Amino acid sequence: MSKYVGVKTLEVLEGAENYNKWIASRLKPFLKSPTLEIGAGTGNISEYMTGFKELVLTDIDSQLVNSLAKKFKKNKNIKVEMFNAASNLSKIKSKFKSIYGVNVLEHIENDQKALKNLHGLLESSGKLVLLVPAKRIAYNELDRSLGHYRRYEKDELREKLMNAGFRVDELEFFNIVGLLSWIVRNYISKNHGKLEKSQVKSFNWVVPVLKAIEPKKGLPFGISLIAVASKK
């Protein structure tokens, strides 16, 4: 059994195909092979990244790593490794042209150290592409139950990336409707600490419309922040 407290939520999100595709489509333009995914979990985003010539999927949880290895065993271009971004100890010695992570950094208590470690794994001018939860005011019981240490503000994330040695190329809010529904859900849901399949299914149904109408830049707020940063 996985040690990660949010594994059931990852399993629920496997049913959010439209949402996962949307996220992947926003990140992929900035990624180049060889690329590394941190906190790949159950592979919800990974399955839309399989076209890269060299892709390394990682997670801190051994059970999730084993699951990923089985899921992608037929993909010869994909390797799966244990990796703790906040630790100095790692079997990963390669350098990457890009690294990405979706809803991972908020789970790491010492996120500044993790960013510095990721900086060290990138080639010169390599890209770090992150999607993280946004807006401190939206932090709630579900965040706590998922093991989130924080939700990020723009200035906070920009400062941490710069302190880790990155140049911030883009930093934009993502999914404005998702933030509103997140806040409303916290008031009307009877189970504040659990994401229900019905809630995910309903949101997944409207994603194609949101994707079509939401601008990629200039949103005043959103449920997430997408950061694109280059190694200086």
Side-chain angles (χ1 to χ4, degrees):
M1 186 176 179
S2 173
K3 296 178 182 178
Y4 172 48
V5 295
V7 69
K8 290 192 179 297
T9 298
L10 291 177
E11 291 169 350
V12 169
L13 289 173
E14 287 178 0
E17 295 94 346
N18 292 332
Y19 190 49
N20 294 331
K21 286 180 184 177
W22 186 18
I23 292 173
S25 73
R26 290 293 304 272
L27 273 54
K28 283 178 76 172
F30 305 103
L31 304 176
K32 291 183 179 180
S33 180
T35 189
L36 170 77
E37 180 178 0
I38 60 169
T42 57
N44 290 342
I45 303 299
S46 319
E47 61 183 289
Y48 302 109
M49 302 294 193
T50 58
F52 289 103
K53 185 177 180 180
E54 296 179 57
L55 174 62
V56 179
L57 306 178
T58 70
D59 204 278
I60 192 174
D61 187 287
S62 60
Q63 293 300 315
L64 291 175
V65 167
N66 291 337
S67 178
L68 286 167
K70 291 177 182 178
K71 184 172 185 175
F72 296 102
K73 64 181 180 181
K74 293 183 179 179
N75 299 82
K76 302 303 180 184
N77 60 318
I78 296 178
K79 295 181 180 178
V80 181
E81 301 278 359
M82 283 275 292
F83 176 58
N84 181 352
S87 173
N88 290 323
L89 302 176
S90 173
K91 296 189 298 182
I92 298 176
K93 305 300 180 184
S94 302
K95 296 284 186 177
F96 298 88
K97 288 186 178 179
S98 60
I99 297 173
Y100 69 96
V102 174
N103 292 325
V104 177
L105 198 63
E106 69 276 9
H107 291 277
I108 302 174
E109 185 171 11
N110 192 342
D111 55 349
Q112 189 66 73
K113 182 177 181 181
L115 289 171
K116 289 182 179 179
N117 288 343
L118 295 175
H119 182 276
L121 287 175
L122 284 167
E123 296 180 1
S124 179
S125 300
K127 299 279 189 184
L128 176 64
V129 185
L130 299 172
L131 182 145
V132 299
K135 306 306 295 181
R136 291 191 194 109
I137 195 172
Y139 189 91
N140 59 27
E141 184 59 34
L142 182 53
D143 285 291
R144 280 186 284 273
S145 70
L146 291 173
H148 294 178
Y149 284 99
R150 65 195 75 81
R151 299 183 72 90
Y152 289 88
E153 298 292 342
K154 261 190 176 182
D155 289 345
E156 174 192 9
L157 185 55
R158 181 183 288 109
E159 182 179 3
K160 287 182 175 182
L161 285 165
M162 292 175 65
N163 287 342
F166 289 99
R167 179 185 71 247
V168 180
D169 302 322
E170 294 194 20
L171 187 56
E172 298 288 344
F173 286 113
F174 170 73
N175 189 5
I176 192 170
V177 173
L179 180 62
L180 296 174
S181 64
W182 182 270
I183 294 173
V184 170
R185 176 204 165 279
N186 192 51
Y187 284 102
I188 65 175
S189 177
K190 294 180 180 180
N191 192 342
H192 297 296
K194 183 180 178 183
L195 193 61
E196 301 291 345
K197 285 186 178 181
S198 59
Q199 296 167 344
V200 172
K201 185 177 180 180
S202 297
F203 181 73
N204 190 60
W205 186 80
V206 302
V207 162
V209 176
L210 300 180
K211 182 180 179 182
I213 65 176
E214 181 173 288
K216 293 182 179 179
K217 294 186 178 183
L219 287 180
F221 53 84
I223 197 170
S224 303
L225 278 166
I226 294 178
V228 181
S230 299
K231 182 175 182 176
K232 292 192 291 186

